[in-house]
Amino acid sequence: MNQTFSRRRDRLLTYQAMREGKITSSRRTRCSACGEESPQLEWDRNFQVCPRCGFHAPVGAYYRLSNILDPGSFQELEDKLSPADPLAFPGYPAKLSELEQSTGLKDAAVAALGRVDGHKAVFAVLDSRFLMGSMGTAVGEKITRAAEYAGKKKLPLVIFSASGGARMQEGIFSLMQMAKTAAAVQRFQSGGGLYISCFTHPTTGGVTASFASLGDIMLSEPGALIGFAGPRVIEQTIKEQLPEGFQRAEYLLDHGFLDRIVLRNEWRAVLSQLLALHEKGGRP
Amino acid sequence: MSRYTPEEKVKIARDPGRPGTSDFIAALFIDFFEQRGDRLCGEDPSILGGIARFHGRPVTVIGHRKGKDLEENLRCNFGMPSPEGYRKAQRLMRQAEKFGRPVITFVDTPGAYPGKEAEERGQGEAIAQTLALMSALEVPTIAIVTGEGGSGGALALAVANRVLMLEHAVYSVLSPEGFASILWKDASRAGEACGVMKLTAQDLRRGGIVQGVLREPEEGAHTNWEAAFRTVDAALTHELAALDKLKGPALARQRYEMFRAMGQGLPPAGREEP
């Protein structure tokens, strides 16, 4: 037990140091894309982008927000929202509390009010460390409340997606979150709100097929896998190998589904530009 | 009411002898005029749609089409739509709204097609836009799950004011096979998956996901089409009359609130409401 606490404490301190940019670990981390090792320090300075190949490694929701928002502007929304177990699925509650312990997250989404270069907006970020960022009822509810809150406050909405899709353990209730979130962002947008959807690696299934594909502006980090069906399912279905780069952000850009690819260190500048162009959330 | 296990229901729901969208259209509507094509690049026969009269009143009717024989199965891709199919559905729904026609959909698909071209042309975007559009329509919409309601590919035609299911139809986040292979890395445990997924009409009614379960004849709709048609006809008549009391924006609001509540205020974990 003591060990768990000290490990948790270590991690929290490490996160704090990472946020403040003063990590001096001698640890080396291997890139899951190119297989090369680089000092953790270099990864940290590079916002967790591989210093060798430029692979944009998945990052946690709080970390992402801390790199995008103006210092001190982060105000978490709906942080009490907890997951449910609508199917009474065997082993699911235990899995949820285990993940809460290891990630510090209640579920796979974080919503916040924040500013980028002084421009106020509502943010929602999916975190792939929590069951692949899958959308269960709590994630669907958080996205929906973020959209409704943004609508009520007449603020722009920025969502960063990273998700394996629907949360199997919540079955049909998970599927319904697609309808719910799509309806919520649709309602927000038809009320004049600006919605910027940002894909990160990987985003597939029910998240791609709902709110994530509905942005007024569609952005993605480079190399992100974006699709409805996952590559393995497609290969099994069509019984052939998919070409290199299939379903990657660059491919989607070429096929007309994205406005732009944004490097991780460019998010602040790009969001700031877009928010300024839509001052007052897109209203005249 | 539940003479069949969830696993047996999955088999029945997939029975090729069950009436499909084209059968329901032929039996319940007159003057059907099929509309084809998405006006962007293609025509997807796995979604059938058009204008027809229901008891004299023009409606837009859309549904998944699996096909009746192997040749038609192949042409319709076994009811697995491509983006063109969803974009055609969007076009028909917009038109329905423009002309003030109710939209009636028949849901029967294993899921949207997980193919290379489908991805290339934006399967995810096509489904997402259909969900968003359907959620905000200001005309009455009724969806009937007649066979298998598989995943987002089914939901895209089912964001309706009323979602009804035939008694032995199933509706789920993914096929039981896919579910088992994702969760347990073992597709052969599909039978077990049927048990935990709560995919039967009765379970979904209890969970507030569907608003009505339509009785099927004795052994199932495949044994007596006429009886199934009569039930669906009566249900559509009843629901349309109820929805006619709501004006445009109220219809969109009712639908929004209904889907908004799914997953909120669920029965506490480990307990099931009767």
Side-chain angles (χ1 to χ4, degrees), chain B:
Chain B
M1 186 142 166
S2 289
R3 291 155 300 182
Y4 298 111
T5 65
E7 193 178 357
E8 287 166 335
K9 282 188 186 264
V10 171
K11 284 207 189 72
I12 295 172
R14 291 175 178 170
D15 192 311
R18 278 176 85 79
T21 295
S22 55
D23 305 312
F24 281 106
I25 292 178
L28 305 181
F29 303 85
I30 56 162
D31 265 358
F32 178 60
F33 177 83
E34 184 177 351
Q35 292 176 282
R36 296 187 178 90
D38 65 357
R39 300 296 184 271
L40 297 164
C41 75
E43 151 65 8
D44 178 5
S46 65
I47 287 185
L48 168 65
I51 315 161
R53 280 182 195 278
F54 182 72
H55 294 285
R57 171 184 190 177
V59 297
T60 286
V61 52
I62 305 170
H64 299 96
R65 173 162 54 185
K66 286 182 167 176
K68 292 283 152 195
D69 49 44
L70 188 61
E71 200 186 320
E72 207 192 6
N73 291 153
L74 290 169
R75 202 165 55 82
C76 297
N77 204 13
F78 297 87
M80 293 183 284
S82 293
E84 297 75 52
Y86 293 112
R87 295 186 179 124
K88 172 171 73 180
Q90 289 168 31
R91 183 170 76 80
L92 269 51
M93 288 176 196
R94 274 195 205 95
Q95 248 178 52
E97 187 170 50
K98 173 180 169 188
F99 294 109
R101 291 192 289 262
V103 177
I104 294 164
T105 65
F106 294 95
V107 176
D108 184 18
T109 177
Y113 186 56
K116 194 173 148 203
E117 287 78 17
E119 290 292 318
E120 193 170 296
R121 297 196 288 265
Q123 187 74 284
E125 193 268 355
I127 293 174
Q129 294 288 355
T130 316
L131 297 174
L133 174 74
M134 222 185 162
S135 76
L137 287 176
E138 298 198 345
V139 289
T141 55
I142 302 171
I144 300 179
V145 185
T146 61
E148 53 177 343
S151 184
L155 178 67
L157 295 188
V159 189
N161 290 102
R162 297 279 192 279
V163 184
L164 311 175
M165 274 178 89
L166 288 189
E167 185 183 347
H168 302 311
V170 296
Y171 190 8
S172 56
V173 66
L174 194 60
S175 69
E177 294 79 6
F179 186 89
S181 80
I182 285 191
L183 270 182
W184 304 316
K185 313 275 175 250
D186 184 0
S188 68
R189 289 171 70 183
E192 193 183 337
C194 296
V196 297
M197 287 174 80
K198 308 230 161 68
L199 42 63
T200 68
Q202 295 71 26
D203 278 333
L204 297 172
R205 177 76 188 86
R206 270 194 295 273
I209 302 295
V210 302
Q211 289 70 53
V213 178
L214 308 181
R215 260 329 255 276
E216 290 190 29
E218 282 298 298
E219 306 297 318
H222 51 292
T223 60
N224 184 350
W225 284 19
E226 282 307 316
F229 294 150
R230 276 195 301 274
T231 313
V232 172
D233 183 77
L236 283 175
T237 309
H238 173 77
E239 298 295 355
L240 268 180
L243 292 173
D244 277 337
K245 299 199 179 85
L246 299 178
K247 291 282 157 274
L251 287 163
R253 205 155 44 236
Q254 182 271 335
R255 202 181 301 119
Y256 185 88
E257 296 305 332
M258 189 174 94
F259 281 88
R260 180 74 185 78
M262 291 180 189
Q264 225 187 2
L266 297 166
R271 252 184 63 216
E272 219 188 312
E273 298 297 307

Side-chain angles (χ1 to χ4, degrees), chain A residues 149-168:
Chain A
Y149 181 83
K152 204 165 71 197
K153 300 283 176 189
K154 304 206 180 300
L155 289 170
L157 175 67
V158 181
I159 302 182
F160 282 86
S161 300
S163 178
R167 173 121 4 128
M168 292 301 134

